[in-house]
Amino acid sequence: MSSTLHPVRSAVPALRTLALVGAAASGKTTLVEALLHKAGAIGAPGSVERGTTVSDFDPLERRAQHSLHSALVHLQHQDTRIHIIDTPGAPDFLGQSLPALEAVETAALVVSAASGLELMSGRMMGWAASRGLCRMVIINKIDALGMDLPGLLTAIQAAFGKECLPLNLPAGGGTRVVDCFFNPAGESDFSSVALAHRALVEQVVEVDPAFVERYLDEGDVDPQELHAPLEQALREGHLIPVCFVSARTGAGVAELLDVMVRLLPDPSEGNPPKFLRGEGAGAVPVFAGPDPAKHVLAHVFKVSMDPYVGKMGIFRVHQGTVTAGSQLYIGDGRRPFKVGHLFRLQGKDHMEIASAGPGELCAVAKVDEIHFDAVLHDAAEDEHIHLQPLDFPVPVHGLAIEPRRRGDEQRLWDLVQRLVDEDPCLRLEHVAQTHETVVYGLGELHLRTLIERLTEVYKCEVNTRPPRIAYRETVTASAPGHHRHKKQSGGAGQFGEVFLRIEPLARGAGIEFVDQVKGGTIPGQYMPAVEKGVRQALDAGVVAGFPVTDVRVVVYDGKHHSVDSKDIAFTTAGRKAVIEAVRVASPVVLEPVVNVEITAPEAAMGDITGDLSARRGQVSGTRGLQARTLAVLGQVPLSELAAYQSRLNALTGGQGAYTLAFSHYEAVPPAVQQQLAGQYRVRDEE
């Protein structure tokens, strides 16, 4: 994408935005502390172990000694403001990590030299590439003993492409780094600065034919002249810079700040955000230019429920200028809200500011209507604009919760709903047939953290029951259903008759309700009641008490009575007719199947693959990591992975880890379906 698409660069202040992403324990939070200290934003770097860091300010984070939420900080370096988002590294908290990609120009993958590439590394780089972000890799902990840094750089290039080139190299045994872009020569611990410099220049000039010609004629090009092609190479993913650093000792931290200011894109140089106008196939792209004079377009990428400040919407300004006192609309909302106070965040601290232009990350508080993924705007014609949705993992781990104290049911629901509003990878559901409140998340750690927040932050004691699996039901054949509801109890009675047909649909299609009634046999005013009854029955389940999905219900005939027909009669008729149809349409119970990726010592691989096979799993392959560690990839029914970490610990001596991601639904074996149906009948009789 050419830089000529961004004609307003001079109107954008010196600003950089980046998200630190990557696996847990790679040192992202410690690196943030080192950057803040080196830039003079804090007097001394905090410690994760002591719970004194700026970005891990939550009491639960301090106790766990790792990030649970994304956190914003900012600093000033060489007259340039740098906004940094520190994201959690555990896969369970992708609902916090992924939205950070919507707010920045650059995704910086932090890799521990001690651990190498881990499960989250590839996933975050893939998501960043799919959003068109500029990407870079920061290799941290270069001072650790016995590190194979050349081997790690080779592994990074094998994983993400030969375009991963070092901007600097470690020197002095990892005590400092030497620049390779502006320096044509120098000494380093490995490789050659001169070769690294040449590779960088050649990679950058490739995007501009004029520079290619100069390079071929002159043998070199002054890197000072390469700003525009460098930004183009970053936008196109033609260059992924690699920097070396030790957040603990400070080696390379000052140089990393210089890289951010001198080489990373400002808001006018990154790829524009993927705004769309309209929904579905008819949606058309909308260009949001970083022009402070245009109408406002901003995107809410994080919602925080602060016990003291209240609900806080944190957003990125993409176009226009937001000022304290301005009026903004939320999506297609008809009533604007007034920006009473505008904040810039520094961890838990909120600094009030007068205005925010393109590229700024800021927040507003106490706006109840604000929500995650909302577009804020000040022009009525922008009410149908939204950002292209992120593809979040599907939450499949369920936990039934209830208040320990009777009468707290509504309070518990409200509190959990607040936490769900903060995290797009949490889902709350009330199961009517079992009278249960079930919260779904990405894993055991995800749900355990939610329970801890309920009990420790909001002082709401809860009881939990074993994880529920999000089974579903569907049909595999077409079948008719019919029911006549007739009730006479003196005076006006109830009458409604429905003929319908149920048909299977493709996986993921949901529920379709089709009205094919002709001749007014069911008057139009009663059709919503029929649909209500149908959906009630499908939501409650027929075979084993799980929601029915991926079906089409066609209502094609019926009867009514001019006096006795009522909504309730047709609701009952629709419900019982569709139950009859499902029972004869070869129904099946579907179970969620997940992609599993397990990392463990090479010696344990035989035991792990055998154990997965015993759990009805299929192993699709393995890949080598480093230091005699392998990753096993496969698919397993989620129901077979209850308490799997305990089993994995036993197989690997506590050295194994795994991540799950929803893959698809498929039919359970007949024996499992009989068991689930039997449990449902017993529960129904009780």
Side-chain angles (χ1 to χ4, degrees):
M1 186 173 297
S2 170
S3 59
T4 57
L5 289 178
H6 306 276
V8 294
R9 182 182 175 197
S10 60
V12 177
L15 197 60
R16 305 289 182 271
T17 59
L18 69 157
L20 300 186
V21 301
S26 58
K28 298 184 295 295
T29 299
T30 304
L31 179 58
V32 168
E33 292 296 307
L35 292 167
L36 290 170
H37 174 59
K38 183 61 69 173
I42 56 177
S47 163
V48 172
E49 292 75 20
R50 293 194 302 270
T52 55
T53 63
V54 174
S55 54
D56 281 0
F57 55 86
D58 184 282
L60 297 182
E61 291 177 314
R62 291 175 174 173
R63 189 179 69 198
Q65 296 190 0
H66 62 77
S67 300
L68 303 175
H69 305 275
S70 60
L72 279 68
V73 302
H74 64 273
L75 55 87
Q76 201 82 12
H77 183 67
Q78 296 179 2
D79 298 325
T80 297
R81 184 181 303 119
I82 303 173
H83 289 277
I84 301 174
I85 306 179
D86 180 19
T87 68
D92 284 34
F93 303 112
L94 281 168
Q96 291 287 322
S97 301
L98 288 180
L101 302 179
E102 306 281 49
V104 298
E105 268 73 51
T106 304
L109 174 70
V110 181
V111 177
S112 167
S115 306
L117 291 177
E118 299 186 61
L119 301 178
M120 282 287 284
S121 304
R123 296 173 76 179
M124 294 307 297
M125 285 291 272
W127 269 307
S130 71
R131 301 305 284 186
L133 295 184
C134 304
R135 291 167 289 158
M136 70 179 298
V137 178
I138 301 171
I139 298 178
N140 190 19
K141 306 183 183 181
I142 62 171
D143 58 315
L145 296 176
M147 294 302 99
D148 180 14
L149 294 178
L152 179 54
L153 181 59
T154 300
I156 289 170
Q157 291 173 333
F160 308 129
K162 294 295 185 182
E163 57 267 25
C164 297
L165 296 174
L167 278 180
N168 55 41
L169 288 168
T175 60
R176 58 187 178 87
V177 300
V178 56
D179 170 66
C180 300
F181 186 64
F182 295 102
N183 285 335
E187 299 294 327
S188 71
D189 290 345
F190 72 90
S191 187
S192 160
V193 173
L195 289 176
H197 171 79
R198 183 183 305 166
L200 280 168
V201 172
E202 289 179 352
Q203 191 76 4
V204 170
V205 299
E206 279 182 1
V207 303
D208 191 321
F211 277 109
V212 171
E213 190 173 331
R214 274 186 58 188
Y215 183 74
L216 294 174
D217 290 342
E218 302 173 13
D220 200 4
V221 177
D222 184 356
Q224 302 283 357
E225 301 180 53
L226 292 178
H227 184 83
L230 172 68
E231 301 307 326
Q232 183 178 344
L234 292 172
R235 283 196 301 274
E236 296 175 354
H238 191 68
L239 173 65
I240 301 174
V242 179
C243 293
F244 291 83
V245 70
S246 170
R248 186 182 66 86
T249 67
V253 173
E255 290 81 359
L256 182 57
L257 285 171
D258 289 342
V259 165
M260 293 176 184
V261 170
R262 300 181 71 182
L263 301 180
L264 294 188
D266 67 27
S268 69
E269 294 170 326
N271 285 322
K274 298 182 178 182
F275 280 110
L276 300 170
R277 189 190 303 276
E279 302 290 339
V284 296
V286 174
F287 176 73
D291 187 340
K294 284 190 173 181
H295 51 95
V296 171
L297 280 178
H299 176 254
V300 178
F301 66 91
K302 179 178 172 66
V303 171
S304 173
M305 300 296 177
D306 190 296
Y308 305 104
V309 179
K311 190 174 189 180
M312 178 171 287
I314 304 166
F315 59 92
R316 155 77 184 249
V317 181
H318 289 282
Q319 179 177 281
T321 302
V322 177
T323 60
S326 59
Q327 303 268 349
L328 293 180
Y329 294 91
I330 302 172
D332 58 1
R334 292 288 181 257
R335 294 179 58 187
F337 72 92
K338 182 179 180 181
V339 180
H341 300 277
L342 194 62
F343 300 104
R344 183 175 295 139
L345 304 185
Q346 187 78 313
K348 67 178 179 181
D349 296 326
H350 311 141
M351 291 162 238
E352 194 158 353
I353 57 177
S355 64
E360 291 279 8
L361 311 185
C362 48
V364 293
K366 299 179 180 177
V367 181
D368 291 339
E369 297 81 7
I370 209 163
H371 58 88
F372 171 75
D373 209 29
V375 170
L376 309 181
H377 58 93
D378 59 0
E381 63 268 23
D382 293 335
E383 64 180 13
H384 297 301
I385 291 180
H386 60 94
L387 210 58
Q388 180 177 311
L390 276 167
D391 188 15
F392 286 105
V394 177
V396 289
H397 283 264
L399 194 65
I401 60 174
E402 64 182 13
R404 193 164 293 174
R405 191 171 61 187
R406 290 177 62 86
D408 275 358
E409 287 80 8
Q410 187 60 47
R411 178 170 181 261
L412 174 63
W413 178 273
D414 293 341
L415 289 175
V416 176
Q417 187 62 61
R418 286 191 205 176
L419 300 179
V420 169
D421 288 344
E422 287 186 314
D423 190 337
C425 289
L426 285 171
R427 181 167 60 86
L428 182 62
E429 181 179 295
H430 178 70
V431 184
Q433 61 269 33
T434 59
H435 304 290
E436 286 183 325
T437 296
V438 181
V439 60
Y440 292 94
L442 297 182
E444 296 172 18
L445 176 61
H446 199 193
L447 294 176
R448 187 168 71 245
T449 301
L450 179 139
I451 299 303
E452 289 175 351
R453 183 165 290 277
L454 279 175
T455 57
E456 297 186 25
V457 178
Y458 293 101
K459 310 302 179 186
C460 181
E461 297 293 330
V462 298
N463 295 322
T464 63
R465 282 191 288 281
R468 290 172 53 90
I469 304 300
Y471 291 105
R472 296 290 182 262
E473 300 176 15
T474 193
V475 300
T476 58
S478 297
H482 161 251
H483 185 77
R484 171 185 284 192
H485 177 72
K486 185 175 182 181
K487 186 175 181 182
Q488 198 75 36
S489 56
Q494 296 179 10
F495 181 86
E497 187 170 5
V498 172
F499 293 84
L500 54 76
R501 181 175 65 254
I502 196 165
E503 304 168 352
L505 293 177
R507 292 286 183 272
I511 296 172
E512 290 184 18
F513 181 84
V514 181
D515 175 7
Q516 288 187 356
V517 172
K518 293 181 171 59
T521 54
I522 300 179
Q525 73 259 32
Y526 295 125
M527 194 54 67
V530 175
E531 182 175 0
K532 178 181 177 182
V534 166
R535 292 189 180 274
Q536 282 179 351
L538 298 182
D539 287 344
V542 176
V543 177
F546 302 105
V548 181
T549 188
D550 303 336
V551 296
R552 178 186 291 118
V553 178
V554 181
V555 179
Y556 58 87
D557 201 359
K559 291 182 181 177
H560 73 286
H561 188 277
S562 58
V563 175
D564 291 346
S565 284
K566 298 177 176 63
D567 283 349
I568 189 172
F570 279 101
T571 296
T572 303
R575 183 175 68 250
K576 293 187 175 181
V578 81
I579 289 173
E580 177 186 293
V582 169
R583 284 174 174 163
V584 295
S586 301
V588 294
V589 176
L590 304 174
E591 64 181 343
V593 176
V594 294
N595 294 320
V596 61
E597 189 167 352
I598 304 165
T599 56
E602 188 176 353
M605 284 300 132
D607 292 338
I608 289 173
T609 54
D611 184 68
L612 287 179
S613 297
R615 295 170 183 269
R616 298 192 284 129
Q618 294 182 334
V619 175
S620 57
T622 61
R623 61 184 178 88
L625 298 174
Q626 62 179 30
R628 299 182 180 275
T629 301
L630 291 178
V632 178
L633 301 105
Q635 291 188 336
V636 190
L638 180 63
S639 60
E640 298 287 345
L641 293 176
Y644 183 64
Q645 187 63 58
S646 299
R647 177 59 177 160
L648 187 59
N649 289 341
L651 295 173
T652 64
Q655 299 182 62
Y658 73 101
T659 62
L660 302 180
F662 174 77
S663 173
H664 64 283
Y665 273 93
E666 66 179 38
V668 301
V672 175
Q673 179 158 324
Q674 289 176 8
Q675 179 185 2
L676 293 171
Q679 292 171 351
Y680 176 59
R681 281 194 295 272
V682 170
R683 192 167 69 236
D684 207 29
E685 289 168 2
E686 291 175 350

